[in-house]
Amino acid sequence: MTTSPLLDATGVAKNYGAVAALRNASLSVLPGEVHALMGANGAGKSTLVKILTGAIQANAGRFLIRGEARDIRSPAAARRAGLLPVYQEPSLIPDLDVLSNLRLTGTPVEPFRAWVRELGIADLDLRDTARDIPLAVLRVLDLARALAVEPDVLLLDEMTAALPANLAEKVLEVVRRQGDAGRAVIFISHRFVEISALCDRATVLRDGETVGVVDIVPGVEEKIVELMLGTRIVKTHVAARGAAEKAAPAPARPRIAVKNLRVGTKLNDVSFDLRDGEVAGVVALEGQGQDELFAALAGSIRPSGGTIEVDGQQAKFAHPIDAIRAGIAYVPGDRSEALAMQRSVRENIALPFSAALRNWGPINMRKERDTVLGAIKRLQIDTRAQGEVQRLSGGNQQKVTIARWIAADARTILCFDPTRGIDVGTKQEIYKLLRELAGHGKSVLFYTSELEEVQRVCDRVIVIFGGRLVDIFPVEEADEPALMRAAYGLPRGAKADVGILAAPNASEPGATP
Amino acid sequence: MSHFLRRHGWVVGLFALLIVLFIATRIIQPGYDSGDFGSLARAVLPYAFAVAAQTVVVIAGGIDLSVAAMMALTSVTAASMMAGASEEYALFVVPFVLAMGFVLGALNGLLIVVTRVPDIVVTLAMLFVLQGAALLVLDAPGGGAAEWLKALISGTVPIPGLPDAIDAWLPKVLLVLIVCVCVIWIPLRRSRLGLSIYAIGSSELAAFRSGVPVKRTRIIAYALSGLFAAFGGLALTMSTGIGAPIPGPYLLASVAAVVLGGVALGGGKGGLLGPIVAVFVLRLVRTDLTLLAIDPNVTAIIEGLIMVAVVMFGAFITMRGRQ
Amino acid sequence: AAGKYTIGISNTVQGNGWREEMVCAMKAQALASGEVAKLNIAHRNTDAAGQLEDIRNLISAKVNAIVVNPADPAGIKAGLEEATKAGIVVVAVDQAVTEPSAYIISNNQEEYAYLGAKWLFQQMGGKGEVFYMRGAAGASADSDRDKGFKKALAEFPNVKVAQEVFTGWQQDQAKQQMLSFLATGTPFNGVWTSGIDNVIVDALVESQAPLVPVVGADNAGFVGQLSSVKGLVGAAVTNPGSIGGAGVTLALQILDGKKPAQQTVLVQPQLWENATEEGKAKLKAAADPSLSPEWPVSISIPDWTTYTKDQIVACKGPGE
Amino acid sequence: MSTSAITPVPFGRRVKRFMADRPLVPLIILLVILVVILQILRPGIVNERWIANTIKFAIPLAILAGCQTMTMLTGGIDLSVGTVATMSAFIMATQIVNQDPAIAFLLAMMPAVLIGLVNGIGVGVFRVHPLIMTLGTSLIGTGCLQVYQRTVIASGAKIPDFLAWLGTGVTPIVGFAFPNALLLFVPLAALIVFTLARTGFGRLLYAVGDNERATRLSGVQYWQVITALYVTSSVLAGITGLLYIGLIKAPSLSLAEPLVLPSVAAAVIGGTSIFGGRGGYTGTIIGALILTVLTTLLTILQMPEGARRILFGLIVLFVTAAYLRIVEER
Ligand SMILES: Nc1ncnc2c1ncn2[C@@H]1O[C@H](COP(=O)(O)OP(=O)(O)OP(=O)(O)O)[C@@H](O)[C@H]1O
Ligand SMILES: Nc1ncnc2c1ncn2[C@@H]1O[C@H](COP(=O)(O)OP(=O)(O)OP(=O)(O)O)[C@@H](O)[C@H]1O
Ligand SMILES: [Mg+2]
Ligand SMILES: [Mg+2]
């Protein structure tokens, strides 16, 4: 290829105290390409993006933009250089309305509106305050805001991770067209489907170092995984359920019985059972009421109608403590919602032990240590950054949120998108863990935004659309097209074209100019 | 309309409360007239500037404990410069003192940014520093003020064509307040700088990532606070004709009015109108209590109760709204 | 007889024994006079600007007279002028005001300091080092007293100030300052205090330091100590809080048409010492252990107040 | 990542890291430096009597700063401690005149519990900002105290001997005069340190200050923690009031108010984050000692009052900034 790179970074290093987030990373992006940045959790992808966009300063590194050495000292400077990021976390100012947010960054309004519409959000009021907008929509607005100024290089950090399939699909379409228009996109994702559908090349990071740059061709996944994980063994088929497990007789009464549950206008007349020893998957597009369902079961919000029965007894949850007392634990999708970031791994895992008034007294330190260590071992949490949870990588943070309930020995775990933004290796571990829990007679309610996971982990599938229960069916009948159709509220058996995700291999990798 | 109410509901409610209080005042003291309203406006002036000073930094996500000390320092500086000086000299003193407030406010911001010590601690330390400086300027109340400055806040604004009965309800001091605040606030509110101040108060990280120069904006917010405090200091000198080195009760009052005015202490929300209306409400409550000749000690209890009750009520409303 | 006047009161220091006594004296005198229907009291911690607000509120309340302890002599001129214009009689107590139309009845602060300092320097034999414990930096009463102290100091060239501190009229701060000073081992021969006196004697006794002569005010606690603490030589200079009652009397006289000859009436301080038998007798007569230690014992001023001790201690005004 | 252990670390960095791991060390060094300066300015001042006095005055400050430390850990602040301490002290001194000591004590602690409860409910249930809530209750408390004062003018006040003994007394042990107040303070401080480090309640304070939503999802009931916290804080303030009246021996209506801002400063100097989630009580105690010594130092320097205040402000700022720098090295 003769074209000179649009962006070329070499020898990038960044230390956080004793932890080296990046050691010798490099990245070179050509005009018109969609370039994947891949790596396990904690490999340093987000750190590299932050450095390239001036959000943090590198300790070392050389940066060329269109062949010229540039020092990117602030987000404003990166913006001037034509580099625009969409970070892993939303970056709209929460208390300003969308319009003011646009004014703040000097984004032209009309192109923004056009992009928002293009990205599949029809009814956006620019005077809405960012705080009141759902997370998934915020991410799309972030993207539209970046697109509106037509950047030379767009950096998307796990843009699709928190998006429901319908929005993710739109995003992928738009991103691919960016590449076609001669601009460059740096695309971070843990989803191979997206990478192979979208990207031209991939740079793979491991432990803060660039370990390879590969062209995306069919079948390259294995190679990438090898690069990403080094010697780590992957793809053991943990998710397959043993025959013995399946043969266990169904208990007489369900662990949890939800009857005609209603939450405001978001959730309507939903009924299902959750049995001991099963993993039930919830499949839904973004904002179909699944948030409310989980929140109601976890005791975070009060339902406006219907009943929840636990072990045959009707339960009323006024506070999460009530659900926890009933043995129901909630693992939220957003880790920052679940962790005390400045406290240690140990304190975070042990947090539920101190919650009840009668446990406010002196702590039995030995007992606590043993329990916590057991949970850490079981989840293989990398605790090198023990002191403060905020220094752990995203994947390890997620493990801590689950470890807490393993340690507390909760009977039912509500997992809301626990694999969001987690690398394949860790994902496998989590699948295995959920199956194990079910094997030990626990019950799990599992929402995921990745349909493929449903097939791997769940026994039954509960589909919700528009706040109503669409269907409940055993996993054997849940192939991806069937799930997709159900998620769109279509009856089982009907045929419909639901976009590129349904048949990812049908689309060619984007052509290089 | 519902949009407007949702966003400005609190201020509208405060206005309603103010009107109710005016009616109550007329009932308590049927002779309460325009002259008394002028007195109220004069009492409000230093508080209004103090609260404006506090509001700007609170919106920017900070707090300024040095507001009252800054008012004391600027007040004694103005008073000692004008003591025995000519009337024209005051024309130079006023901008000098305002600039001084601006610079010292910027120093507050600079120290916060450079030392990375929490704002509440930096401004607490500056409270002592500014108090000390005020004592070095004047070790006892004293100094003087130019006659034209004092005249600026007494009397009413004669607007041609308007009947005197209405003119009488337009005290000059109210005009001074509106002009001084609007000249700074309205352009600010409409500028990118103003947006940036709201942005850093709402989420510093998001603001930084949106390309807002966070440090510079913070310094400017504190500088503006200093400027408003300097206006407050001048207001003190204008109304009393002297400068007093011991700070008045403006710090607590400013925090209370900011909260009553619907500005979230976490930053990023609210405006200047609410807190200023809140100042009128609090001052009028004070007047009513005096008119009712309520035991002064009970007055303190009532003022505390109002503060707590109104804030609790506001919290209650937001909680209900969230559910 | 039901009174006919409404009197407004404005005071800007709250929670200080002296000021509380002043307000109680005002109430008691208003009650005892029988001429007052209602008192309207604005009594709180504030500055000159706050007092202006209070005075204007009292004008709005249409009182007949305002008795004011000014936060600053010049700072409330505008408000007092407005009051006079509205036909209200204005009497300033304790400190002077610059508004010419106001009447003033006050303790002589300069004389207060001069009297005590002069006695102290004589006790010290006209030479030595004095620990000078002032009031609140920036308060006008403090700077007036400083004038008196300096005047006495000028008369005794061999007396030096060992150290000068501002107690802020706060007991704990004063005590800590005294203890720190004692710990330095600096020699000193006398202590002059601006009314924060009993804690100083406590500090001297507790740390077993030599009991040097101490000058304070006529606070109940200190007056008691002057008779009870062995070996303590000291003097209490009167600074009656009951001046407030005198202010009410003056206001009523003016309302009744009996204007005084001058605008300003000064109440001269007295000095009660325990170095002579005569002084001791005076002290004994004045001592009143039943009062709060922060209250001045001179709870009445002859010719000016007519209430009884029970009335001032009860602290009730007309209609309460 | 383990390579950093192999490369030699420069000495300066090593010292800094050593201090960062033991954040108390720089504070203690500062305290010693202040005492040395004092000794140089006034040779002979640092003697047994001075030490006893300094400790006596630092203790009430340190306990109130403990209230600030605990509330600051949850992201709060308790500005009502001054009023609460004053109320307890004043009520004790006036009720002891004609009440049984035990009853007087109970009466004295009543407003403390009440104000703590109101603070806790306001902050924990109604979610009022702690700054506003505690300011409001302290205004109300002051008003009530003044009304109360009217009712006891006739009966006068008295300082119970026991409190005077506790506040001002010293007991010579092996030739050194130990202030009796230590009898109260040492167990109290040990209890606070233990509570913060080793009890469920202490854990919750840190966790709530760090991420309240996370604690809620873990089953923590915020209002319970906050109410218990503010009641504890108020009770501590009440006890401080009793100790302080024994020290000052003069009941006044603003007795402990001057301690409020320094108590915040002491907690901050001691390394507690005003935003919550970080800090501890040992640092606070040293912070209180530093402030007390600093006050003495400034008293001794013959300077105008204004200059002294300027110096005080600058030193507080400088110490906090320097300390932050050192601890950030971690
Ligand atoms: N502020 C910080 N302080 C200390 N260490 C940090 C900080 N931010 C990141 N790290 C560390 O740097 C490493 C790289 O983190 P980074 O967030 O870049 O990983 P990532 O590749 O984006 O992972 P993920 O896929 O989980 O998002 C991790 O080991 C992390 O613990
Ligand atoms: N401090 C602790 N350290 C370690 N594990 C704990 C601790 N407290 C409780 N656990 C464990 O957590 C699980 C549930 O805790 P929970 O608080 O419900 O028990 P508990 O009510 O404290 O029981 P009990 O009061 O009978 O000891 C149990 O397995 C228990 O052993
Ligand atoms: Mg990342
Ligand atoms: Mg990460």
Side-chain angles (χ1 to χ4, degrees):
Chain A
M1 234 170 283
T2 50
T3 5
S4 64
L6 206 48
L7 166 72
D8 189 38
T10 44
V12 184
K14 173 75 188 174
N15 296 318
Y16 286 109
V19 179
L22 287 177
R23 281 190 282 190
N24 181 18
S26 57
L27 178 65
S28 177
V29 185
L30 300 171
E33 100 174 314
V34 179
H35 192 109
L37 187 57
M38 304 203 64
N41 287 127
K45 304 176 295 293
S46 301
T47 307
L48 184 56
V49 167
K50 284 177 194 158
I51 287 173
L52 289 176
T53 54
I56 54 177
Q57 305 296 314
N59 298 118
R62 202 169 61 92
F63 304 93
L64 299 178
I65 295 172
R66 282 190 213 80
E68 270 176 59
R70 287 291 277 268
D71 203 6
I72 310 159
R73 294 197 155 274
S74 71
R79 184 178 285 263
R80 279 193 296 275
L83 266 55
L84 234 68
V86 175
Y87 294 111
Q88 222 168 336
E89 313 82 27
S91 36
L92 255 52
I93 311 292
D95 290 309
L96 292 184
D97 57 18
V98 178
L99 200 59
S100 302
N101 265 295
L102 296 182
R103 278 222 295 137
L104 190 64
T105 46
T107 311
V109 176
E110 272 323 307
F112 173 80
R113 251 195 242 270
W115 280 116
V116 169
R117 243 174 279 127
E118 187 125 341
L119 286 163
I121 295 171
D123 54 345
L124 179 76
D125 186 344
L126 289 188
R127 286 180 309 166
D128 276 346
T129 307
R131 196 183 285 288
D132 303 333
I133 298 175
L135 175 72
V137 178
L138 277 183
R139 312 265 316 150
V140 173
L141 296 188
D142 264 342
L143 176 61
R145 190 169 62 156
L147 287 168
V149 295
E150 308 192 345
D152 294 341
V153 184
L154 188 60
L155 300 96
L156 306 181
D157 193 354
E158 302 196 24
M159 178 67 219
T160 51
L163 293 191
N166 54 340
L167 287 180
E169 184 190 316
K170 287 276 190 350
V171 168
L172 296 184
E173 267 173 38
V174 167
V175 168
R176 187 161 47 199
R177 269 191 282 126
Q178 285 291 304
D180 296 344
R183 289 191 264 272
V185 179
I186 295 173
F187 188 80
I188 298 179
S189 170
H190 290 292
R191 298 176 182 171
F192 281 107
V193 213
E194 294 173 358
I195 302 290
S196 58
L198 198 63
C199 301
D200 306 301
R201 293 193 303 156
T203 292
V204 182
L205 286 179
R206 183 171 75 227
D207 289 343
E209 227 168 327
T210 297
V211 289
V213 181
V214 295
D215 286 331
I216 304 290
V217 290
V220 78
E221 287 93 336
E222 289 302 323
K223 169 125 190 273
I224 292 179
V225 169
E226 225 168 83
L227 282 172
M228 266 168 53
L229 302 183
T231 55
R232 257 165 80 187
I233 302 148
V234 283
K235 286 246 167 176
T236 48
H237 264 269
V238 283
R241 281 153 298 138
E245 212 181 296
K246 226 171 169 180
R253 62 164 193 225
R255 162 81 175 130
I256 295 177
V258 177
K259 289 192 184 131
N260 309 325
L261 193 68
R262 197 155 53 76
V263 180
T265 56
K266 294 292 186 60
L267 198 68
N268 243 317
D269 197 24
V270 168
S271 310
F272 64 87
D273 289 348
L274 182 65
R275 284 188 286 273
D276 280 329
E278 82 163 344
V279 180
V282 173
V283 169
L285 302 176
E286 177 66 25
Q288 303 303 317
Q290 66 271 44
D291 306 61
E292 287 74 18
L293 172 66
F294 275 70
L297 287 175
S300 282
I301 55 174
R302 270 184 232 201
S304 37
T307 58
I308 299 170
E309 279 176 20
V310 180
D311 297 327
Q313 301 277 317
Q314 187 167 335
K316 281 240 181 300
F317 300 151
H319 186 275
I321 185 76
D322 299 329
I324 292 167
R325 287 210 181 101
I328 302 173
Y330 173 52
V331 178
D334 183 359
R335 299 177 276 268
S336 65
E337 216 175 284
L339 295 173
M341 288 292 180
Q342 298 176 45
R343 308 312 302 167
S344 65
V345 172
R346 172 173 174 167
E347 275 176 53
N348 267 286
I349 292 180
L351 188 54
F353 301 153
S354 309
L357 202 59
R358 69 190 137 80
N359 294 333
W360 282 10
I363 296 170
N364 180 343
M365 295 305 259
R366 171 123 36 98
K367 184 175 158 203
E368 180 186 276
R369 202 193 60 215
D370 293 346
T371 317
V372 168
L373 280 183
I376 287 179
K377 222 150 112 208
R378 184 131 172 232
L379 271 84
Q380 297 174 11
I381 301 174
D382 174 359
T383 53
R384 274 171 311 180
Q386 268 275 13
E388 289 177 14
V389 165
Q390 63 186 347
R391 299 189 187 173
L392 297 182
S393 78
N396 280 308
Q397 288 179 0
Q398 186 67 317
K399 285 187 192 169
V400 174
T401 64
I402 301 178
R404 173 185 292 167
W405 298 115
I406 306 277
D409 204 23
R411 260 185 76 192
T412 303
I413 298 186
L414 312 171
C415 277
F416 195 93
D417 216 2
T419 55
R420 178 188 295 175
I422 284 185
D423 70 60
V424 283
T426 313
K427 272 183 186 168
Q428 302 285 337
E429 288 170 23
I430 289 180
Y431 302 150
K432 188 169 136 199
L433 181 79
L434 295 183
R435 286 311 324 165
E436 258 175 43
L437 287 174
H440 289 120
K442 314 266 188 235
S443 46
V444 178
L445 191 66
F446 175 62
Y447 165 75
T448 171
S449 50
E450 287 178 59
L451 295 179
E452 181 214 36
E453 295 185 345
V454 175
Q455 296 162 300
R456 295 179 143 228
V457 185
C458 303
D459 301 292
R460 280 191 310 148
V461 184
I462 298 165
V463 187
I464 296 176
F465 180 77
R468 288 176 185 280
L469 191 81
V470 179
D471 209 349
I472 301 182
F473 49 87
V475 73
E476 288 76 11
E477 294 168 35
D479 57 359
E480 219 158 305
L483 284 174
M484 199 48 122
R485 275 192 295 275
Y488 276 90
L490 302 172
R492 228 182 311 173
K495 280 261 167 211
D497 179 20
V498 286
I500 58 171
L501 279 188
N505 297 332
S507 54
E508 294 294 317
T512 38
Chain B
M1 188 62 203
S2 78
H3 217 279
F4 176 84
L5 264 187
R6 187 149 28 104
R7 194 168 285 188
H8 303 287
W10 190 263
V11 179
V12 173
L14 269 179
F15 255 117
L17 181 62
L18 186 60
I19 289 167
V20 169
L21 275 174
F22 266 118
I23 295 170
T25 313
R26 278 302 278 254
I27 294 171
I28 296 167
Q29 181 73 32
Y32 190 88
D33 62 8
S34 56
D36 299 318
F37 177 69
S39 299
L40 175 72
R42 270 191 293 270
V44 159
L45 191 66
Y47 286 94
F49 283 123
V51 93
Q54 194 66 268
T55 303
V56 178
V57 282
V58 169
I59 287 178
I63 192 155
D64 188 350
L65 299 187
S66 68
V67 167
M70 182 82 85
M71 284 170 71
L73 175 59
T74 47
S75 171
V76 289
T77 308
S80 66
M81 284 173 84
M82 285 191 281
S86 69
E87 291 283 297
E88 294 76 40
Y89 186 62
L91 282 174
F92 159 77
V93 171
V94 170
F96 173 80
V97 166
L98 293 180
M100 182 170 119
F102 188 84
V103 169
L104 285 174
L107 180 65
N108 256 338
L110 195 71
L111 285 172
I112 291 167
V113 166
V114 171
T115 62
R116 280 178 280 148
V117 172
D119 42 22
I120 197 168
V121 182
V122 171
T123 53
L124 177 66
M126 281 298 275
L127 174 151
F128 290 107
V129 173
L130 297 178
Q131 254 182 28
L135 279 172
L136 289 185
V137 175
L138 272 186
D139 65 359
E147 288 306 320
W148 68 266
L149 264 179
K150 289 197 251 180
L152 211 54
I153 59 162
S154 61
T156 57
V157 200
I159 296 177
L162 226 58
D164 279 357
I166 296 182
D167 261 358
W169 285 90
L170 276 180
K172 250 194 243 169
V173 57
L174 197 62
L175 194 75
V176 170
L177 173 63
I178 292 172
V179 167
C180 292
V181 168
C182 290
V183 158
I184 298 169
W185 183 250
I186 291 182
L188 179 71
R189 185 75 212 242
R190 287 167 184 263
S191 69
R192 242 193 85 167
L193 174 65
L195 269 182
S196 304
I197 289 178
Y198 276 87
I200 62 170
S202 181
S203 162
E204 200 179 317
L205 181 67
F208 175 65
R209 287 180 175 177
S210 297
V212 174
V214 175
K215 291 181 181 172
R216 202 193 315 155
T217 309
R218 172 150 301 136
I219 294 173
I220 293 175
Y222 276 92
L224 286 173
S225 164
L227 179 63
F228 276 126
F231 269 114
L234 278 178
L236 283 177
T237 304
M238 272 150 86
S239 59
T240 61
I242 56 156
I246 294 183
Y250 303 102
L251 171 59
L252 297 191
S254 73
V255 176
V258 160
V259 176
L260 279 192
V263 177
L265 273 186
K269 268 187 261 186
L272 197 46
L273 186 60
I276 289 182
V277 177
V279 168
F280 271 92
V281 168
L282 285 176
R283 292 298 99 203
L284 195 53
V285 167
R286 168 105 229 147
T287 302
D288 287 348
L289 291 174
T290 314
L291 293 182
L292 285 171
I294 289 186
D295 177 351
N297 303 305
V298 178
T299 315
I301 302 175
I302 292 179
E303 280 187 340
L305 279 178
I306 288 180
M307 197 164 118
V308 171
V310 171
V311 176
M312 273 197 185
F313 174 73
F316 185 69
I317 295 267
T318 9
M319 263 198 296
R320 285 288 295 272
R322 228 179 267 143
Q323 273 166 11
Chain C
K4 46 192 170 173
Y5 300 121
T6 304
I7 291 189
I9 287 168
S10 168
N11 174 45
T12 58
V13 179
Q14 197 181 14
N16 162 305
W18 193 92
R19 296 281 184 129
E20 294 298 333
E21 182 182 292
M22 179 190 83
V23 173
C24 287
M26 289 169 166
K27 289 179 167 186
Q29 184 58 34
L31 186 65
S33 72
E35 287 193 81
V36 181
K38 199 172 106 185
L39 278 182
N40 200 334
I41 306 175
H43 168 43
R44 58 171 174 146
N45 279 317
T46 187
D47 60 350
Q51 188 162 38
L52 268 177
E53 181 187 359
D54 287 345
I55 289 171
R56 286 176 174 139
N57 283 339
L58 291 174
I59 299 173
S60 297
K62 315 255 181 282
V63 295
N64 302 104
I66 295 177
V67 182
V68 52
N69 185 338
D72 182 84
I76 54 169
K77 185 167 185 291
L80 298 184
E81 200 178 317
E82 286 164 33
T84 312
K85 267 198 202 132
I88 297 170
V89 171
V90 176
V91 174
V93 295
D94 188 29
Q95 305 182 64
V97 290
T98 58
E99 169 57 31
S101 66
Y103 294 87
I104 296 157
I105 180 161
S106 126
N107 295 320
N108 191 337
Q109 300 294 357
E110 195 175 325
E111 184 64 18
Y112 166 93
Y114 176 73
L115 209 59
K118 193 169 153 192
W119 178 87
L120 178 66
F121 300 157
Q122 280 164 355
Q123 282 297 313
M124 287 160 58
K127 61 178 195 299
E129 308 261 335
V130 61
F131 188 28
Y132 180 30
M133 306 190 78
R134 298 179 61 171
S140 73
D142 180 74
S143 49
D144 284 347
R145 287 183 180 180
D146 188 47
K147 278 189 214 127
F149 183 86
K150 293 278 157 64
K151 194 169 121 194
L153 198 62
E155 292 173 13
F156 292 86
N158 291 330
V159 174
K160 296 271 171 308
V161 174
Q163 180 139 0
E164 175 177 333
V165 294
F166 286 91
T167 61
W169 279 310
Q170 275 164 359
Q171 313 258 7
D172 52 335
Q173 199 173 327
K175 187 165 186 185
Q176 194 176 352
Q177 284 163 341
M178 186 72 220
L179 290 173
S180 300
F181 180 73
L182 284 175
T184 64
T186 313
F188 66 112
N189 313 88
V191 184
W192 186 93
T193 75
S194 189
I196 298 296
D197 32 34
N198 50 346
V199 288
I200 298 307
V201 176
D202 274 345
L204 287 173
V205 172
E206 275 162 27
S207 43
Q208 289 150 4
L211 279 176
V212 296
V214 178
V215 171
D218 58 337
N219 302 321
F222 183 57
V223 169
Q225 283 172 330
L226 284 181
S227 326
S228 65
V229 176
K230 246 178 68 186
L232 173 67
V233 176
V237 186
T238 59
N239 180 36
S242 41
I243 192 79
V248 170
T249 304
L250 179 60
L252 290 173
Q253 284 177 359
I254 297 166
L255 284 171
D256 289 339
K258 286 179 277 177
K259 293 206 168 128
Q262 303 129 332
Q263 291 286 103
T264 304
V265 182
L266 276 187
V267 174
Q268 293 303 335
Q270 301 177 21
L271 183 130
W272 305 330
E273 35 77 34
N274 66 358
T276 63
E277 284 310 317
E278 187 200 347
K280 275 187 191 151
K282 267 194 199 164
L283 271 171
K284 222 183 201 103
D288 191 346
S290 67
L291 282 179
S292 158
E294 273 197 76
W295 270 43
V297 290
S298 42
I299 49 173
S300 61
I301 300 178
D303 304 336
W304 284 105
T305 61
T306 55
Y307 50 75
T308 64
K309 179 184 168 191
D310 287 343
Q311 276 176 318
I312 185 174
V313 167
C315 202
K316 292 237 189 312
E320 273 185 54
Chain D
M1 254 157 270
S2 55
T3 48
S4 61
I6 301 163
T7 48
V9 183
F11 178 71
R13 272 186 86 82
R14 269 211 324 259
V15 171
K16 261 180 117 179
R17 191 167 297 167
F18 172 82
M19 299 222 266
D21 289 340
R22 294 163 195 75
L24 289 185
V25 174
L27 281 180
I28 293 173
I29 292 177
L30 175 68
L31 182 60
V32 172
I33 290 176
L34 283 179
V35 173
V36 168
I37 293 178
L38 204 59
Q39 174 70 11
I40 291 171
L41 286 180
R42 278 288 162 86
I45 178 170
V46 183
N47 54 27
E48 189 182 317
R49 200 165 74 191
W50 179 83
I51 292 175
N53 274 337
T54 304
I55 292 176
K56 269 190 248 172
F57 275 93
I59 285 176
L61 181 61
I63 306 180
L64 290 190
C67 301
Q68 306 301 353
T69 305
M70 289 196 289
T71 45
M72 271 159 62
L73 283 179
T74 65
I77 195 164
D78 190 349
L79 296 184
S80 66
V81 287
T83 302
V84 169
T86 308
M87 286 178 95
S88 301
F90 195 85
I91 293 175
M92 186 72 181
T94 48
Q95 286 300 323
I96 197 81
V97 177
N98 39 26
Q99 291 279 12
D100 190 62
I103 294 181
F105 174 77
L106 288 181
L107 285 174
M109 293 310 284
M110 214 172 55
V113 174
L114 219 66
I115 288 186
L117 208 59
V118 173
N119 281 339
I121 290 172
V123 176
V125 178
F126 289 92
R127 306 299 177 116
V128 179
H129 195 289
L131 196 83
I132 298 300
M133 193 65 216
T134 53
L135 265 183
T137 49
S138 87
L139 265 183
I140 298 173
T142 308
C144 291
L145 187 60
Q146 262 147 18
V147 172
Y148 168 77
Q149 185 222 2
R150 298 267 170 276
T151 67
V152 293
I153 285 173
S155 53
K158 191 180 115 189
I159 311 302
D161 291 341
F162 172 71
L163 289 184
W165 176 85
L166 195 62
T168 48
V170 292
T171 307
I173 302 172
V174 286
F176 189 87
F178 279 91
N180 297 338
L182 284 174
L183 279 178
L184 175 71
F185 181 69
V186 171
L188 206 60
L191 186 68
I192 295 178
V193 170
F194 180 80
T195 303
L196 289 183
R198 289 291 176 95
T199 66
F201 182 61
R203 284 278 177 82
L204 293 186
L205 293 186
Y206 284 98
V208 161
D210 193 324
N211 187 347
E212 191 218 316
R213 290 191 67 181
T215 56
R216 184 178 147 85
L217 288 181
S218 299
V220 178
Q221 275 156 306
Y222 181 74
W223 72 270
Q224 287 181 349
V225 180
I226 293 299
T227 308
L229 168 66
Y230 281 88
V231 171
T232 310
S233 168
S234 256
V235 168
L236 281 179
I239 292 174
T240 311
L242 298 187
L243 184 66
Y244 203 49
I245 187 82
L247 178 60
I248 301 297
K249 295 210 231 159
S252 84
L253 293 179
S254 57
L255 183 71
E257 295 298 345
L259 293 184
V260 177
L261 289 184
S263 75
V264 176
V268 171
I269 287 179
T272 299
S273 162
I274 205 140
F275 303 120
R278 229 185 252 260
Y281 189 52
T282 353
T284 303
I285 297 174
I286 301 175
L289 277 170
I290 288 177
L291 281 187
T292 312
V293 174
L294 190 60
T295 311
T296 313
L297 189 64
L298 290 181
T299 309
I300 281 176
L301 292 174
Q302 294 269 14
M303 282 187 186
E305 175 67 15
R308 238 178 284 171
R309 286 196 198 177
I310 293 180
L311 217 57
F312 182 84
L314 289 181
I315 291 175
V316 166
L317 182 60
F318 175 78
V319 168
T320 318
Y323 185 62
L324 262 183
R325 282 285 173 290
I326 292 174
V327 173
E328 263 176 13
E329 182 66 13
R330 256 190 295 200

